Amino acid sequence: MLRSWILFLSYCLGAGKAFTTNSDATRKQQYQIQNGPCTYTFLLPETQNCGGPSKTYTEQVQRDDPVDWNRLEQLESIIENNTQWLQKLENYIEENLKQDMVQIQNNAVQNHTVTMIKIGTSLLSQTAEQSRKITTVEAQVINQTTRIERQLLENSISTSKLEKEFLQQINEINKLKEKNSFLEKGIEDMEGKRNTELETLKEEKEELKKLVEMLAKVIKEMEQQVSSTSSDNTAMKQQQQELTNTVNNLIQTISVTRQGSNSAMMQDNPDQLIDCAVVFKQGNKKSGVYSLTIPGTKQQFKAYCDMGTDGGGWTVIQKRFNGLVDFHQTWKNYTMGFGDISGEHWLGNEIISKLTQEKQHTLRIDLMDWEGNTAFSKYSQFSLDGEKQNYRISLNGYSGTAGRTSSMGQTGGDFSAKDLDNDKCVCKCSQMLSGGWWFDACGPSNLNGIYYQQGQNTNRFNGIKWYYWKGSAYSLKATTMMIRPANF
Ligand SMILES: [Ca+2]
């Protein structure tokens, strides 16, 4: 117990508390303790008869044998009392120490709290700074993300557009492919047809070659026949010439004898009968040969007037129906006319030119085949240029039954005869097809070709041809070409 007391005092001194001791002589001891604003004073009880050293007492005890029991009891009581005081003191100190410890702890806690608050504040400020930085970074990230999303969206839209255009292009390419395949098929079909046509044309060409060869043979034979009969013809020509002379003499004789009675009438109206229309209008409505006068001259000529066909008044410029007249004539003969006016004849390009140059004329062509069928072609406008223009023909206003298309070229063509080639062929159509005509190259018609009799009139390319009625190889039986003023 005493040891702990001493230890307690050492602790108080070590804690630096105010601690004072007053020793009142040798009997009483007083202790003061300063704690904060309070001062505690402790009075310890004095140790009676204990002024000497313990050695003396011990020696006295050992010496005073027997034991002084009263003294011992007193000592024990004193010790017990001191012990109680010490216990009180200890308790008091403990309580105060507890308070101090609590205060110290509180102070420490407060210090810790302040530090922690400082640290927390610092952390908060750091956290706020970090948060701000994070917010900034987040904003940047959001901006970048938005920009990237926008770009992605734009790219997506562009991609969609491109895909759409791509699909359209693919569709168009497919359509083009279909068209191409369709065209290729069409071309293949056309090529097939063309090959077939070429084959057919080759066959026809071969047939034509054969026909030409056959015609050449026939022509040669005919030439031989002509040469063999030329001597007979010479004799006939002489007789004809004699007859012509005789007839001319008779005409002169008659004209001399009738001059007194008729010349007056002819001279009074020398230009009156210029064509059959005038004759018709004068009341002559019977078809036949009439004497006419070339317009602007006193030169007379004879012509056959058709007063029955299509209203009459027609001046016939060509007539064929029996093959008695040869139409393979020279340029000059076609210019002046030849044949029999009352039979087969050609009136003459010069007269036709003068009549049609005088006024607008209509041309009518009547045709008959060997089966008795008839047809006609009519041109509301017809004229011939002069000899310098090779008697170029002008036609317009086609109508009629001899084909829906005109068999005479309405674009105009020069006249050719066997001795004067004005056609558009590298060949000479007049010599190849016979007769004089407005050949083109060589054209779909020739009414002055060779006259073939019935039974020989087919497969004839040089016969009397009117292509758009009977084809190119059919030779007609009868033809009449006649003109009339358009205002008739
Ligand atoms: Ca020619």
Side-chain angles (χ1 to χ4, degrees):
M1 182 63 71
L2 184 61
R3 184 177 291 175
S4 64
W5 159 245
I6 293 166
L7 286 169
F8 172 71
L9 287 177
S10 300
Y11 172 74
C12 287
L13 288 169
K17 300 290 184 181
F19 187 83
T20 59
T21 303
N22 290 327
S23 178
D24 185 8
T26 57
R27 295 185 63 140
K28 295 183 184 175
Q29 286 185 338
Q30 184 175 334
Y31 299 92
Q32 286 184 339
I33 295 171
Q34 183 75 33
N35 186 16
C38 299
T39 304
Y40 302 95
T41 305
F42 298 96
L43 292 174
L44 294 177
E46 62 181 326
T47 53
Q48 291 179 353
N49 300 320
C50 298
S54 60
K55 182 180 172 181
T56 307
Y57 176 73
T58 306
E59 286 175 352
Q60 189 174 2
V61 168
Q62 285 174 353
R63 194 178 59 227
D64 293 337
D65 192 24
V67 177
D68 192 356
W69 295 100
N70 290 327
R71 187 60 181 171
L72 280 170
E73 283 176 2
Q74 283 179 355
L75 285 170
E76 280 177 3
S77 170
I78 291 165
I79 290 165
E80 190 175 352
N81 193 22
N82 285 337
T83 303
Q84 286 174 356
W85 274 101
L86 284 169
Q87 279 179 346
K88 284 180 184 176
L89 183 65
E90 193 176 355
N91 288 334
Y92 178 78
I93 289 166
E94 278 181 0
E95 283 179 4
N96 280 312
L97 277 173
K98 274 184 183 175
Q99 287 178 357
D100 289 341
M101 287 300 287
V102 168
Q103 193 168 5
I104 288 164
Q105 282 177 356
N106 285 335
N107 288 332
V109 168
Q110 282 180 354
N111 291 332
H112 281 298
T113 305
V114 170
T115 310
M116 290 300 289
I117 286 169
K118 283 182 182 175
I119 293 168
T121 307
S122 173
L123 283 170
L124 279 172
S125 64
Q126 287 181 4
T127 306
E129 181 66 20
Q130 292 294 330
S131 296
R132 192 179 59 76
K133 286 182 180 174
I134 287 168
T135 307
T136 308
V137 171
E138 275 183 355
Q140 289 177 354
V141 168
I142 286 169
N143 284 337
Q144 290 291 334
T145 308
T146 308
R147 191 170 60 79
I148 289 167
E149 281 180 348
R150 195 172 64 241
Q151 283 183 350
L152 281 171
L153 186 64
E154 287 174 358
N155 285 334
S156 172
I157 291 168
S158 300
T159 309
S160 298
K161 277 185 182 175
L162 285 172
E163 281 180 351
K164 200 175 175 184
E165 287 178 2
F166 186 65
L167 286 173
Q168 284 179 350
Q169 293 287 338
I170 286 174
N171 284 334
E172 285 181 6
I173 286 167
N174 286 333
K175 282 180 185 174
L176 285 172
K177 277 183 181 173
E178 285 175 5
K179 280 184 184 174
N180 196 22
S181 59
F182 179 74
L183 285 171
E184 280 178 353
K185 195 181 175 186
I187 288 168
E188 283 177 1
D189 291 344
M190 282 177 70
E191 277 182 353
K193 284 181 185 174
R194 192 182 164 192
N195 287 332
T196 312
E197 285 176 359
L198 276 173
E199 290 298 323
T200 312
L201 284 172
K202 276 182 184 174
E203 289 173 3
E204 286 179 358
K205 190 181 171 186
E206 289 301 320
E207 287 178 5
L208 281 172
K209 262 187 180 179
K210 288 177 185 173
L211 276 171
V212 168
E213 287 172 359
M214 188 184 75
L215 281 172
K217 281 183 183 176
V218 170
I219 288 167
K220 271 188 181 178
E221 287 173 3
M222 285 179 72
E223 279 177 354
Q224 286 173 357
Q225 286 178 1
V226 168
S227 62
S228 66
T229 56
S230 60
S231 54
D232 297 338
N233 277 341
T234 307
M236 284 177 72
K237 277 182 182 175
Q238 284 177 353
Q239 288 178 357
Q240 191 179 0
Q241 189 63 42
E242 287 173 1
L243 279 170
T244 305
N245 292 335
T246 308
V247 168
N248 285 335
N249 289 334
L250 280 169
I251 288 170
Q252 282 179 357
T253 308
I254 290 166
S255 65
V256 168
T257 54
R258 289 186 177 179
Q259 200 169 10
S261 58
N262 292 338
S263 61
M265 185 184 72
M266 296 294 288
Q267 284 170 359
D268 287 343
N269 302 298
D271 300 328
Q272 196 174 11
L273 299 177
I274 58 169
D275 58 24
C276 296
V278 177
V279 175
F280 184 88
K281 284 183 176 175
Q282 283 190 350
N284 300 303
K285 299 189 178 176
K286 187 180 177 183
S287 296
V289 177
Y290 286 85
S291 286
L292 305 173
T293 305
I294 295 174
T297 69
K298 293 181 180 178
Q299 186 181 345
Q300 289 189 342
F301 67 99
K302 288 187 183 297
Y304 187 90
C305 294
D306 185 326
M307 304 301 194
T309 303
D310 192 14
W314 295 101
T315 304
V316 175
I317 61 172
Q318 188 257 28
K319 194 163 188 71
R320 304 188 75 178
F321 56 94
N322 55 17
L324 291 180
V325 173
D326 180 13
F327 273 72
H328 197 46
Q329 297 286 338
T330 61
W331 177 267
K332 186 181 177 183
N333 286 345
Y334 270 103
T335 298
M336 302 308 295
F338 59 86
D340 180 6
I341 292 297
S342 59
E344 292 191 334
H345 68 279
W346 181 259
L347 183 62
N349 287 337
E350 191 60 29
I351 294 171
I352 299 168
S353 173
K354 284 188 171 153
L355 284 172
T356 56
Q357 290 292 317
E358 178 72 14
K359 59 173 75 172
Q360 190 71 51
H361 271 71
T362 299
L363 169 67
R364 180 183 167 103
I365 297 170
D366 282 279
L367 306 170
M368 182 183 286
D369 65 12
W370 287 98
E371 287 73 39
N373 303 306
T374 58
F376 75 96
S377 290
K378 196 172 176 181
Y379 302 87
S380 60
Q381 293 178 14
F382 162 71
S383 65
L384 282 194
D385 289 339
E387 187 171 15
K388 286 182 181 177
Q389 291 80 33
N390 296 325
Y391 299 116
R392 176 170 292 185
I393 193 170
S394 293
L395 289 168
N396 244 320
Y398 171 76
S399 62
T401 56
R404 283 186 295 178
T405 305
S406 169
S407 292
M408 286 179 83
Q410 296 188 41
T411 53
D414 290 355
F415 195 87
S416 292
K418 68 179 182 182
D419 57 343
L420 188 56
D421 175 35
N422 294 317
D423 59 44
K424 294 174 184 172
C425 178
V426 292
C427 63
K428 294 181 177 178
C429 297
S430 176
Q431 290 186 5
M432 202 167 74
L433 299 181
S434 180
W437 195 249
W438 300 275
F439 296 106
D440 188 36
C442 294
S445 63
N446 177 19
L447 297 185
N448 292 336
I450 294 173
Y451 192 95
Y452 287 101
Q453 297 295 332
Q454 189 170 19
Q456 299 175 343
N457 63 301
T458 54
N459 292 324
R460 301 293 185 182
F461 293 93
N462 56 358
I464 301 170
K465 180 173 67 178
W466 198 253
Y467 176 81
Y468 287 106
W469 187 43
K470 301 299 288 185
S472 60
Y474 189 98
S475 187
L476 299 171
K477 179 184 179 182
T479 69
T480 304
M481 298 174 68
M482 44 198 185
I483 59 174
R484 186 174 70 184
N487 60 356
F488 178 75

